[in-house]
Amino acid sequence: MNKHDQEYIKHKNKSMVLDVIRNRRPISRADIAKITGMSPTSVSRIVADLCQAGIVKETEQFSSGVGRKATLLDIDASSVLTVGIELDKTEIKIGVVDFDGRIAAEHTVSGANHDKAPQAVADTIAAKLLELVRDNGINRDKIIGVGIGIPGIIDVDSGTVVFSSQLGWKNVAFLKLVEERVGIPTTIDNDLNVKALGESIYGHVNESRKTVLIGIGSGVGSTLVIDGEIYRGETNIAGEIGHFNFDPNGMLCECGKRGCLQTYIAEYALIQEANNFKKVSRLSEIFHEWRAGEPWAISIIDRACTYIAVTVSNVVCMYNPDTIVLSGNFIEQHPHILEAVRAKLDDFIWEPFRGTFKLVLSKFAGKSVMIGAASLALNLRLDYELQTS
Amino acid sequence: MNKHDQEYIKHKNKSMVLDVIRNRRPISRADIAKITGMSPTSVSRIVADLCQAGIVKETEQFSSGVGRKATLLDIDASSVLTVGIELDKTEIKIGVVDFDGRIAAEHTVSGANHDKAPQAVADTIAAKLLELVRDNGINRDKIIGVGIGIPGIIDVDSGTVVFSSQLGWKNVAFLKLVEERVGIPTTIDNDLNVKALGESIYGHVNESRKTVLIGIGSGVGSTLVIDGEIYRGETNIAGEIGHFNFDPNGMLCECGKRGCLQTYIAEYALIQEANNFKKVSRLSEIFHEWRAGEPWAISIIDRACTYIAVTVSNVVCMYNPDTIVLSGNFIEQHPHILEAVRAKLDDFIWEPFRGTFKLVLSKFAGKSVMIGAASLALNLRLDYELQTS
């Protein structure tokens, strides 16, 4: 057993103590020791760390029963806030979120972010966050972390946007830019990753142990969350179904390869196809014609639903989840889309997978990246406190 | 925190103690307490359980340093053996495997198992295992578990072969049949699952934290192993890429749907296609003609390699692993196949995934299901001892 393993065990012990307090609050140190099998000394040391970090507090209640009365411990829910930010092509959404995933205050900044200098975007975030905190009388000291969800490939460890076609950024060390402006520990991650995390922690799938979120919009992607943890893969790009190959001789994708799933269902692909028949520039126009019963629009939406059903089926084959959350612009354009996909699913789902999963819509819809980013920040900060305190 | 959680923590503590002994053997109880942060009482209790279970033994060495000399503990590697069994259409391979994955004795029973009565197959297994143990002077008491890898859908918890087209079985409670004949705790699982586990524990990918094994033979499937644990999904059928849909209007698959991956690369599909041109009944005949430079055979193998490369690319998109192990009859027919797939992979792999994974062949080839099944039995028995002792 090397040093790394010892650190790991120490960290696990701290997580275990925090989990016991979370689930059985209020609770005494002696009871924590009894439940965890740890020595009273170890428990006291860890509790002291957690109190100092402001996560745990001593209550004014005492344990009942025989012997010396012991002070009970509780989570200090109100002392811990995190900020969740969604940064995409056209908006910045900022929210202050509490320990239980409730939004205490929020603000949306509209305006194109594509090709904007990262410094300018970070400036806007810092200024608007300051404003939000001030205008809502929030105690800034209670904010322990900032989480940002960004469309694209994110190197989580270094806090770098490796590539984001939506923002037009490549290798931007964005975490640092934000952190040095807001002065609060910051973390960045892929938008679908945080969205999936938020849905699995606070959404209506919070009983789910294996949630997959599938996002269908300007790009196509998915994220698997196993027992409340994002399955990132080796380089944080697991679930990149958009570049899933369907046909070696298919249409050319923006990635330079042929036949990727994106060429069948991404927004730009549908718009491009529609233009073979009629000049349109937005997905909502296709849906408008679809509702009006235009055959060409029905054909486009119908084919997209077929490939979404195929995608759900393929994701189920790979991940065998208990829940699939569908999200994104295409899915949210019309309430009937979910039903259309469900109806088609019967044609594709392999017998042994029938009845093994629920197919639902995102609970938080437009706010899910914000809430998810905040929950990622909370998890990471708690983890960090546990590791370093 | 409910009873389940307390049991879970107790179990985790035992695993932790066993891991510490495994990695730092020989070691004293006091040092275990120091490293784990557990109380000396808890450590002593767990160690007593592990000694009683025969997994851990007291050595004749003592700790150095000041104070009372403490007896050092070690793993009793020689006292623990498991049996790994591969059961497929045409063979039963039985091997006795030690704690370190070495085969102590093995035996292969040839003969069709398809449509054979499960009772008869269990009889054969029990008789041959007895023979193997007797003929090789193996102490039967040292065998703590039997693991069996079977092609098909396996309900691991109930020990049932839900469906195996290779064996022609449906809802066969096979675990019970074997267990009551051999009198040793038995476990059954999908053959690819145990194969992947064996490769990731004892194979040349044992540094890998995210291994995917892809099997291409009479069927097509894959298994992801994360940190030494099979990712099973919700109902133990994660990784079923054989029924991955490529084309809603594709060829009819044996599952009754159209365009499944199997219809492109499974053995039967290739043989069927070959018969459009020439009467062949085995894959090896196609390979024979391929080596002889026959254009039709080159076309079939070439297309299969294309779809295998596409499959590798798609699996990488989903799982983002550090290692992919290719295995199965098609891959193992000729050493050049791996190279052919590698060469094609460049055409499909999305830029961000380049260089993120190794593509290798199975290390144990024909013995990998046997070794994998034994390693599953070992893990489960250790786990069981930890939970119940």
Side-chain angles (χ1 to χ4, degrees), chain A residues 13 234 245 314 318-320, chain B residues 36 234 245 314 318-320:
Chain A
N13 282 342
E234 186 59 18
N245 194 292
N314 288 350
M318 291 299 277
Y319 288 150
N320 188 197
Chain B
T36 60
E234 187 58 18
N245 195 291
N314 288 350
M318 290 299 276
Y319 288 149
N320 189 196

Side-chain angles (χ1 to χ4, degrees), chain B residues 40-146:
Chain B
T41 319
S42 299
V43 170
S44 290
R45 187 176 40 74
I46 292 173
V47 166
D49 290 347
L50 293 173
C51 287
Q52 210 194 342
I55 303 163
V56 167
K57 62 177 179 188
E58 294 199 324
T59 67
E60 294 181 346
Q61 292 172 271
F62 295 94
S63 62
S64 55
V66 294
R68 201 159 66 86
K69 295 281 176 266
T71 308
L72 296 184
L73 303 161
D74 201 348
I75 297 285
D76 192 353
S78 71
S79 79
V80 177
L81 295 172
T82 51
V83 174
I85 298 175
E86 172 173 14
L87 169 60
D88 74 6
K89 210 168 175 174
T90 58
E91 277 181 345
I92 305 171
K93 289 183 193 166
I94 307 179
V96 179
V97 179
D98 77 7
F99 201 88
D100 295 322
R102 283 180 300 246
I103 298 172
E106 61 182 309
H107 184 75
T108 299
V109 187
S110 297
N113 297 310
H114 185 81
D115 278 343
K116 218 172 180 176
Q119 288 80 358
V121 175
D123 284 342
T124 306
I125 286 176
K128 291 297 167 184
L129 176 55
L130 195 68
E131 223 177 281
L132 188 66
V133 166
R134 199 187 50 209
D135 294 353
N136 290 276
I138 289 165
N139 181 349
R140 199 187 160 294
D141 293 340
K142 289 188 176 180
I143 300 175
I144 62 168
V146 173

